[in-house]
């Protein structure tokens, strides 16, 4: 619901708190995000208060930089904690993004909440159409590691990638591996126009991940060999952004070779839970999404597509 005279207040959403566990101490966590703040970015403003409106590219680039900063302090933090940080900070940077922790809400409703096999079901909403994505997160921060074996988990079966692809196909979504990583000045990605060295979140197409996972599992490989097949996360939103410094004429065209079968879907086909989350209310039932850690909606309905 929109509060009278306010900017998109979502009072019915449950309070989302930062994931403070043994890696998250209030003082230490504050130190991380104060050490090198992204000074050129401000929280989303609808205009009228003298601040430049943050574009989706601005928001996700700032998010990726914050995750890079975070990982530089705690490179071995569990993937679930990095994901919770991503969700929390994305919401803080841009209120157009809303999310729900599936397992937490299932437990609060007294339902069984098994360990999720996938990370995030994400919908990017336009005025008339939307893009559905299914994401599996992996944290690859060491310069050298058994990255082929880790993508081929468990035990070389590649079952996690199979589940990712099968779920995306069943839900008519686009599958990605969401990589949390620590690039270096020599890191190069598929997109040659976005600053990879200042990004901590990357997108790897499921087909590319499967091809990489089919390699020799016995040897360690360099992290940059994998990142060379990726795009920085903000590349999803570089279309039309003045911050993209000569970026793509259309981000979907740019990414489409690595997003097989990508099509925008009419909004009339949105699942009920997604409509409720987009409207700022907690979905009453998330049992159909129990295989996900979280679900999120990025409401860009002010954009005409």
């Amino acid at each position: 619901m929109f509060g009278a005279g306010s900017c998109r207040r979502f009072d019915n959403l449950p309070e989302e708190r930062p994931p403070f566990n043994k890696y998250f101490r209030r003082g230490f966590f504050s130190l991380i995000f104060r050490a090198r703040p992204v000074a050129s970015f401000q929280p989303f403003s609808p205009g009228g208060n003298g601040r430049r409106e943050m574009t989706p590219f601005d928001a996700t680039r700032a998010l990726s930089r914050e995750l890079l900063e975070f990982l530089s302090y705690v490179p071995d933090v569990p993937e679930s904690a990095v994901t919770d940080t991503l969700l929390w900070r994305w919401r803080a940077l841009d209120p157009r993004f809303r999310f729900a922790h599936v397992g937490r809400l299932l437990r609060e409703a007294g339902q069984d909440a098994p360990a999720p096999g996938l990370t995030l079901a994400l919908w990017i909403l336009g005025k008339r159409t939307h893009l559905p994505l299914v994401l599996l997160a992996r944290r690859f921060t060491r310069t050298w590691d058994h990255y082929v074996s880790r993508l081929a988990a468990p035990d070389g079966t590649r079952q996690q990638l199979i589940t990712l692809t099968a779920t995306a196909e069943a839900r008519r979504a686009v599958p990605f591996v969401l990589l949390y990583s620590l690039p270096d000045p020599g890191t190069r990605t598929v997109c040659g126009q976005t600053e990879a060295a200042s990004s901590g979140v990357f997108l790897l197409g499921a087909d590319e991940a499967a091809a990489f996972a089919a390699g020799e599992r016995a040897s360690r490989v360099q992290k940059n060999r994998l990142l060379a097949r990726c795009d920085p996360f903000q590349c999803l939103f570089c279309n039309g952004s003045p911050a993209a410094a000569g970026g793509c004429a259309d981000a979907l065209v740019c990414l489409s070779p690595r997003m097989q079968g990508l099509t925008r879907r009419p909004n009339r086909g949105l699942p009920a839970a997604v409509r409720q989350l987009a409207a700022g209310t907690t979905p009453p039932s998330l049992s159909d999404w129990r295989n996900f850690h979280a679900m999120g909606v990025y409401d860009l309905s002010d954009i005409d597509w």
Side-chain angles (χ1 to χ4, degrees):
M1 299 292 292
F2 296 112
S6 63
C7 173
R8 292 196 177 190
R9 297 178 56 215
F10 303 101
D11 299 325
N12 292 330
L13 283 177
E15 179 183 1
E16 294 292 353
R17 298 179 180 177
F20 293 115
N21 54 27
K22 68 178 181 178
Y23 295 96
F24 295 84
R25 297 295 185 261
R26 187 173 299 274
F28 177 63
F29 196 75
S30 299
L31 175 63
I32 290 174
F33 287 108
R34 290 176 182 173
R36 286 188 300 171
V38 185
S40 59
F41 298 100
Q42 298 174 335
F44 170 76
S45 167
N49 59 1
R51 294 186 299 181
R52 180 175 67 87
E53 180 175 326
M54 178 178 280
T55 68
F57 181 89
D58 290 337
T60 50
R61 182 172 64 170
L63 175 68
S64 191
R65 287 177 175 177
E66 288 199 5
L67 266 292
L68 174 66
E69 183 77 16
F70 174 61
L71 288 168
S72 70
Y73 282 88
V74 282
D76 295 323
V77 68
E79 287 153 355
S80 60
V82 184
T83 297
D84 286 345
T85 304
L86 179 144
L87 296 172
W88 169 50
R89 293 304 302 160
W90 195 351
R91 172 68 177 168
L93 284 164
D94 192 342
R96 292 175 293 186
F97 175 71
R98 276 145 269 164
F99 69 96
H101 282 288
V102 176
R104 180 186 304 170
L105 293 176
L106 288 175
R107 287 189 293 271
E108 290 176 355
Q111 301 180 40
D112 181 42
L118 298 171
T119 303
L120 179 63
L122 174 65
W123 290 263
I124 304 170
L125 303 186
K127 182 178 293 185
R128 300 181 305 275
T129 62
H130 65 276
L131 289 175
L133 306 178
V134 173
L135 305 176
L136 172 67
R138 286 292 172 262
R139 175 188 50 76
F140 292 166
T141 53
R142 297 177 182 176
T143 303
W144 292 84
D145 206 339
H146 295 279
Y147 290 130
V148 175
S149 297
R150 292 179 61 184
L151 275 179
D155 303 321
T157 63
R158 286 178 271 172
Q159 187 57 50
Q160 292 174 338
L161 292 177
I162 292 172
T163 299
L164 171 67
T165 303
T167 302
E169 182 177 350
R171 296 188 179 275
R172 302 182 68 199
V174 183
F176 277 115
V177 175
L178 189 67
L179 287 184
Y180 305 135
S181 193
L182 290 172
D184 55 59
T187 298
R188 298 292 181 268
T189 60
V190 175
C191 177
Q193 301 185 35
T194 302
E195 60 276 26
S198 60
S199 301
V201 186
F202 298 85
L203 288 171
L204 177 65
D207 291 343
E208 289 281 356
F212 193 88
E216 177 57 51
R217 295 194 300 272
S219 60
R220 298 196 306 166
V221 297
Q222 191 177 27
K223 172 182 57 185
N224 280 348
R225 280 187 54 194
L226 184 58
L227 292 179
R229 302 181 180 215
C230 299
D231 288 285
F233 182 59
Q234 60 267 32
C235 281
L236 273 175
F237 307 100
C238 71
N239 181 25
S241 170
C248 310
D250 189 331
L252 301 182
V253 173
C254 173
L255 291 172
S256 60
R258 294 167 300 285
M259 298 168 71
Q260 297 300 318
L262 171 65
T263 56
R264 296 169 178 156
R265 311 231 178 256
N267 285 345
R268 62 178 177 271
L270 280 171
V274 178
R275 289 184 180 276
Q276 291 157 351
L277 189 58
T281 59
T282 304
S285 175
L286 292 176
S287 57
D288 290 343
W289 309 95
R290 63 176 66 248
N291 197 36
F292 290 91
H293 177 77
M295 57 188 299
V297 175
Y298 200 16
D299 186 359
L300 306 179
S301 55
D302 55 329
I303 297 177
D304 190 17
W305 57 262

